[in-house]
Amino acid sequence: MEDISSRRPLIFVGNDDGYQAGGLKFLIDIAREYGDVFVAAPSAHQSGKSSALTVDTPLRARLFGDEPGLIAYHVNGTPTDCIKLAVSNLMPRRPDIVLSGINHGYNSGNSAIYSGTMGVVFEGSFLGVPSIGFSYGDYTAAPDFSACEPVVRQMLELALAGSLPVDVCYNVNIPKCDSVAGLKAVAAAPGRWTEEYECRTDPHGYKYYWLTGKYVPSEPESDKHDLYWLQRGYATVVPCRADQTAHKAITALDNIINRK
Amino acid sequence: MEDISSRRPLIFVGNDDGYQAGGLKFLIDIAREYGDVFVAAPSAHQSGKSSALTVDTPLRARLFGDEPGLIAYHVNGTPTDCIKLAVSNLMPRRPDIVLSGINHGYNSGNSAIYSGTMGVVFEGSFLGVPSIGFSYGDYTAAPDFSACEPVVRQMLELALAGSLPVDVCYNVNIPKCDSVAGLKAVAAAPGRWTEEYECRTDPHGYKYYWLTGKYVPSEPESDKHDLYWLQRGYATVVPCRADQTAHKAITALDNIINRK
């Protein structure tokens, strides 16, 4: 812990796949080249947990890494619990940067709102520090994350240089490939999920439902959206806001409700 | 089920406090005056679940209401699971309107991002229909929701009249009072949580942490924010966007990453 209170940048790293995930280890290893690293990751797989909080049960933090320049805890909660507890009670000071991932699978299109990876990032943005989530489009059991490295380094170096605006946070997706064609700043592809649940019948004759589904973009040919570029071998970065207020709609709404 | 496929508006009602919550019953009773009502609410309390999805376990839907103009299920999942499963597999057609609540407690300031009540609303907005969450600032065991009635009716009537823009959704908070002073369209109050976890020591000498905390608004005297008006007896409505893309930041970000 002494070492981690040094003058090097303090980089928080979280994820939603759990503390044993390969994507987390890959991200930690790169981050350690740039600063001291503090990890708080879920004790178990927490995919799809969005910005969920654990309200009804207490949290416990268990140390699983303690080396020069690295402190790592796992926490029996959601991705958002992990970063909140770390910043509030475990870290020697606020982080300079928040990283999350690398997620095993995409958080493209409207998946960001369901993503525990992005839950960490939105929490980081409330701290007012550069906050970046990384997701890799590989769904195999033990992906090789090497293709992510140049993109992770580029975003991390821009953040450390103070070049990334901090009034937004960042959702980076990287296509499964040997090397990415480039990095594009775009919007999340709008669309809708179809065939969302598969209905089965249990041995006792009762129905149950599994989450599944396909995302159908509403404008698949628009080069303004992440899915378009991911399908063409590019990594994408979507700037995001944690504050969901639609500021431009306020005045018109007030006129409607107060009949002005 | 025959009755619910009529020409009356079809109103979906969900919540995050669970199907037995008083705020849900209050909202259902009002909604039934305006249309056919389809309820899908969590089997158990799901506060703070944000837009979380259940990924690893199957869902089951259990009927708990079946009357003329009302079908009601509870589902062993999150608030977002409930509306997704209902729209995908349980409802006779898409709803015309999505309502959520009435939540037992506020979803003001930046709480919306953690709110299961708002998880339902964001999901509704993906359907392209008016979607409104209601939250009441009463934290007692069995609140009297009467003060909410005029605000619920006003928002529901505006939605049914087609007067509410559907490119945004709505987060309505109502202060605990005998009668509200009015309804204001405002932004969510920016701020930060302090003293977020209380650390205790268990009988075996190990630390554990309870979520707690206070929200400290960064601009408490600004009349542009929900907390300001709630403290003065007004109900508030924050227009929200489910798409978290910061569209205005895209071009500048692309220039930074591609050194234009």
Side-chain angles (χ1 to χ4, degrees), chain A residues 46-252:
Chain A
Q46 295 278 306
S47 288
K49 284 292 191 287
S50 188
S51 288
L53 297 173
T54 299
V55 174
D56 284 343
T57 53
L59 299 176
R60 291 176 186 265
R62 294 182 174 88
L63 195 70
F64 74 94
D66 185 358
E67 304 170 23
L70 175 71
I71 299 286
Y73 284 93
H74 65 90
V75 175
N76 63 328
T78 66
T80 301
D81 291 335
C82 292
I83 180 170
K84 275 187 173 281
L85 182 64
V87 171
S88 169
N89 293 61
L90 306 177
M91 297 184 74
R93 61 180 176 87
R94 284 197 164 203
D96 299 302
I97 292 177
V98 167
L99 304 181
S100 182
I102 298 173
N103 193 59
H104 293 228
Y106 280 137
N107 282 304
S108 51
N110 82 353
S111 300
I113 197 170
Y114 309 113
S115 161
T117 305
M118 287 305 295
V120 174
V121 173
F122 291 129
E123 201 62 36
S125 79
F126 287 134
L127 302 175
V129 302
S131 301
I132 312 165
F134 297 96
S135 301
Y136 186 44
D138 187 329
Y139 297 83
T140 58
D144 174 0
F145 289 93
S146 303
C148 302
E149 185 169 339
V151 176
V152 171
R153 286 189 188 277
Q154 183 181 2
M155 290 299 293
L156 188 46
E157 287 168 14
L158 287 170
L160 286 165
S163 301
L164 291 181
V166 296
D167 56 339
V168 295
C169 53
Y170 302 94
N171 180 18
V172 176
N173 282 277
I174 301 160
K176 182 177 179 173
C177 60
D178 292 329
S179 83
V180 300
L183 178 59
K184 294 278 185 184
V186 286
R192 63 188 180 85
W193 290 89
T194 61
E195 302 165 45
E196 288 206 271
Y197 292 90
E198 185 178 316
C199 181
R200 298 186 179 184
T201 303
D202 73 18
H204 311 290
Y206 295 101
K207 286 181 181 172
Y208 62 99
Y209 302 87
W210 281 109
L211 182 64
T212 171
K214 281 183 237 174
Y215 192 67
V216 181
S218 51
E219 301 168 42
E221 294 308 314
S222 169
D223 67 0
K224 298 188 182 313
H225 301 147
D226 54 3
L227 289 175
Y228 178 94
W229 291 105
L230 291 167
Q231 287 160 357
R232 285 158 179 80
Y234 285 78
T236 58
V237 51
V238 175
C240 295
R241 301 184 319 151
D243 173 13
Q244 289 161 298
T245 301
H247 291 274
K248 280 198 283 190
I250 293 172
T251 303

Side-chain angles (χ1 to χ4, degrees), chain A residues 45 48 50-51 53 56 59-60 84 114 123 154 183 185 188 196 202 209 239-241 244-246 254 257-258, chain B residues 45 48 50-53 56 59-60 84 114 123 154 183 185 188 196 202 209 239-241 244 246 254 257-258:
Chain A
H45 172 68
S50 188
S51 288
L53 297 173
D56 284 343
L59 299 176
R60 291 176 186 265
K84 275 187 173 281
Y114 309 113
E123 201 62 36
Q154 183 181 2
L183 178 59
E196 288 206 271
D202 73 18
Y209 302 87
C240 295
R241 301 184 319 151
Q244 289 161 298
T245 301
D254 205 58
I257 59 179
N258 290 307
Chain B
H45 172 68
S50 188
S51 288
L53 297 173
D56 284 341
L59 299 177
R60 292 177 187 264
K84 275 187 172 281
Y114 309 113
E123 200 62 36
Q154 181 181 4
L183 178 60
E196 288 207 89
D202 74 18
Y209 301 87
C240 296
R241 303 182 320 149
Q244 289 162 297
D254 205 59
I257 60 179
N258 289 307

Side-chain angles (χ1 to χ4, degrees), chain B residues 22-39:
Chain B
L24 180 72
K25 183 173 187 315
F26 192 88
L27 189 53
I28 291 169
D29 287 345
I30 295 176
R32 291 185 72 180
E33 295 181 31
Y34 295 89
D36 292 332
V37 172
F38 195 102
V39 178

Side-chain angles (χ1 to χ4, degrees), chain B residues 65-129:
Chain B
D66 186 357
E67 304 170 23
L70 174 71
I71 300 286
Y73 284 93
H74 64 90
V75 175
N76 64 327
T78 67
T80 301
D81 292 336
C82 292
I83 180 170
K84 275 187 172 281
L85 182 63
V87 171
S88 170
N89 293 62
L90 306 176
M91 296 184 75
R93 61 181 176 86
R94 284 195 165 205
D96 300 302
I97 293 176
V98 167
L99 305 180
S100 182
I102 298 173
N103 193 60
H104 294 227
Y106 280 136
N107 282 305
S108 51
N110 83 353
S111 300
I113 198 171
Y114 309 113
S115 162
T117 305
M118 287 306 294
V120 174
V121 172
F122 291 130
E123 200 62 36
S125 80
F126 287 135
L127 302 174
V129 302

Side-chain angles (χ1 to χ4, degrees), chain B:
Chain B
M1 192 61 109
E2 294 75 17
D3 181 75
I4 215 162
S5 60
S6 71
R7 293 289 175 172
R8 300 186 77 204
L10 180 53
I11 303 171
F12 176 88
V13 182
N15 81 340
D16 75 353
D17 291 310
Y19 78 106
Q20 295 175 309
L24 180 72
K25 183 173 187 315
F26 192 88
L27 189 53
I28 291 169
D29 287 345
I30 295 176
R32 291 185 72 180
E33 295 181 31
Y34 295 89
D36 292 332
V37 172
F38 195 102
V39 178
S43 302
H45 172 68
Q46 294 279 306
S47 288
K49 283 291 191 290
S50 188
S51 288
L53 297 173
T54 299
V55 174
D56 284 341
T57 53
L59 299 177
R60 292 177 187 264
R62 295 182 173 88
L63 196 68
F64 73 96
D66 186 357
E67 304 170 23
L70 174 71
I71 300 286
Y73 284 93
H74 64 90
V75 175
N76 64 327
T78 67
T80 301
D81 292 336
C82 292
I83 180 170
K84 275 187 172 281
L85 182 63
V87 171
S88 170
N89 293 62
L90 306 176
M91 296 184 75
R93 61 181 176 86
R94 284 195 165 205
D96 300 302
I97 293 176
V98 167
L99 305 180
S100 182
I102 298 173
N103 193 60
H104 294 227
Y106 280 136
N107 282 305
S108 51
N110 83 353
S111 300
I113 198 171
Y114 309 113
S115 162
T117 305
M118 287 306 294
V120 174
V121 172
F122 291 130
E123 200 62 36
S125 80
F126 287 135
L127 302 174
V129 302
S131 301
I132 312 164
F134 297 97
S135 301
Y136 186 45
D138 186 329
Y139 296 83
T140 59
D144 174 359
F145 288 93
S146 303
C148 301
E149 186 170 337
V151 176
V152 172
R153 287 189 188 275
Q154 181 181 4
M155 290 299 292
L156 188 46
E157 287 169 14
L158 287 169
L160 286 165
S163 302
L164 291 180
V166 296
D167 57 337
V168 296
C169 53
Y170 302 94
N171 181 19
V172 176
N173 282 277
I174 301 161
K176 181 175 179 174
C177 60
D178 291 328
S179 81
V180 300
L183 178 60
K184 294 279 185 186
V186 286
R192 64 188 180 86
W193 290 88
T194 61
E195 302 165 46
E196 288 207 89
Y197 293 90
E198 184 178 318
C199 181
R200 298 186 178 184
T201 304
D202 74 18
H204 311 290
Y206 295 101
K207 285 181 183 173
Y208 62 101
Y209 301 87
W210 282 108
L211 182 64
T212 170
K214 282 183 237 174
Y215 192 67
V216 181
S218 51
E219 302 168 42
E221 294 308 314
S222 169
D223 66 1
K224 298 186 182 313
H225 302 147
D226 54 2
L227 289 175
Y228 178 94
W229 290 105
L230 291 166
Q231 287 160 358
R232 286 158 177 80
Y234 285 78
T236 58
V237 51
V238 176
C240 296
R241 303 182 320 149
D243 173 12
Q244 289 162 297
T245 301
H247 291 275
K248 281 197 283 190
I250 294 173
T251 303
L253 178 61
D254 205 59
N255 290 344
I256 291 167
I257 60 179
N258 289 307
R259 294 191 184 82
K260 284 171 188 166

